[in-house]
Amino acid sequence: MTILDRSAIDGAAPGGSRERTTAAPASGTRQDGVVRATAVGALQLEAGGALPEVELAYETWGTLNADGTNAVLIQHALTGDTHVAQGEGDEPGWWEALVGPGKPVDTEKYFVVAANMLGGCYGSTGPSSLDPEGVPWGSRFPFVTIRDSVRAEARLADRLGVRAWHAVLGGSMGGARALEWAATYPERVRHCVVVAIGAYSTAEQIALAQAQVLAIRQDPHFNGGDYYGGPTPVAGLGLARRIAHISYRSEPELNFRFGRRGQGAENPIEAPGHAAERGRYQVESYLDHQAAKLVNRFDANSYIAITEALMSHDVGRGRGGLVRALAKTKAEFFLASVNSDRLYFPEQSDELARALPGEVPVHSIDAKIGHDGFLTEIGQLGGELRRKVFTL
Ligand SMILES: CC(=O)SCCNC(=O)CCNC(=O)[C@H](O)C(C)(C)COP(=O)(O)OP(=O)(O)OC[C@H]1O[C@@H](n2cnc3c(N)ncnc32)[C@H](O)[C@@H]1OP(=O)(O)O
Ligand SMILES: N[C@@H](CCO)C(=O)O
């Protein structure tokens, strides 16, 4: 295992880097919230083709106990990373309300692992990584699925000495990854927590994803995916993020928050001359901001790779359909949806619950903002998770 050297892994990738501690921990020493990477070997891919050498980046918190029963895998969403919770003195993580000392996923009791998705740009092998000849994969990076990432993650588990997870949990695409773990490795998942996603990507979810992928592909700087070392497709990636972000938030939230107001002194109606010079509505400025933030931290090819992996999400594929696929799982499931989610509708979590063996309730996260409630309001699940999953 190596401590992550982003310069070697990301090549000339724009954005996508997170400054983290790089000092190697002494063997066996606990070091919370520090990005490391490990090689997991060559990977044959579900859709064909192979990656000759795969590395997965990950962070850990806490310590694996002697009988290996306290390991927890937390799976990030589409543009998420491995930083679920605060490490030693650094910035908070994206599920800070859930993970940490004394929190529902108590890092004094559990050994928590978070891995960057295969195809990503936070340290795992992805399109911006260097191929064996030292050239960024770019357009040659193969199509990977959620299942491919889960199979690579299983090898990471082997290397960490984790035979079975006490729990695998995730929201949105992280939930898809958690569900795939339970279906692919029934013996290795005791609890599976799936938040704000259903059993498969629906036609509408695929449709929204296609628009995002095309926004990037049609950027003149995309160059078929081989843009490293040159201008990058920031306009396309920014447009993709705008499309996505609208779907992450609810219509009432946008309306209440921004209404028809202009941004600051900008007036969207009284344009001075050319239409392109008109002022912006507040909501346009907000989306501009969300787009700018993403293009500064994410690689466009990774966005495509992971989005297409999420389009492939279908736990029943090749397993005789949903019910038969889920009948083979052995995990205890904990499902939750966000009541205002207009991307992964609560009904899709209900459908997943019905297809699972036994009676599985769907917990409801009460949020006004929509899908992103699985990030901002995750604390609402803390009590139920302590009672049902994290009982140590
Ligand atoms: C599970 C995962 O791994 S995902 C990883 C975490 N996800 C991300 O980081 C994705 C990007 N971020 C997000 O999706 C969201 O910010 C969340 C869900 C994390 C948090 O949501 P919220 O707290 O509701 O933040 P919100 O959507 O309101 O955005 C606030 C930002 O918009 C800016 N903003 C608000 N109004 C305007 C406006 N009119 N014009 C310009 N910018 C504006 C704020 O200044 C703030 O900027 P900052 O983030 O740079 O501080
Ligand atoms: N904000 C989340 C939403 C997708 O679930 C992300 O960027 O990954």
Side-chain angles (χ1 to χ4, degrees), residues 77-80 172-173 241 248 297 371-372 374-375:
L78 190 81
T79 70
S172 194
M173 190 193 71
R241 184 59 162 183
Y248 299 158
R297 70 176 180 87
H371 179 63
D372 270 346
F374 88 92
L375 292 167

Side-chain angles (χ1 to χ4, degrees), residues 340-352:
S340 55
D341 198 330
R342 57 163 161 173
L343 178 59
Y344 296 100
F345 292 94
E347 296 75 44
Q348 287 152 17
S349 300
D350 297 342
E351 180 190 22
L352 171 58

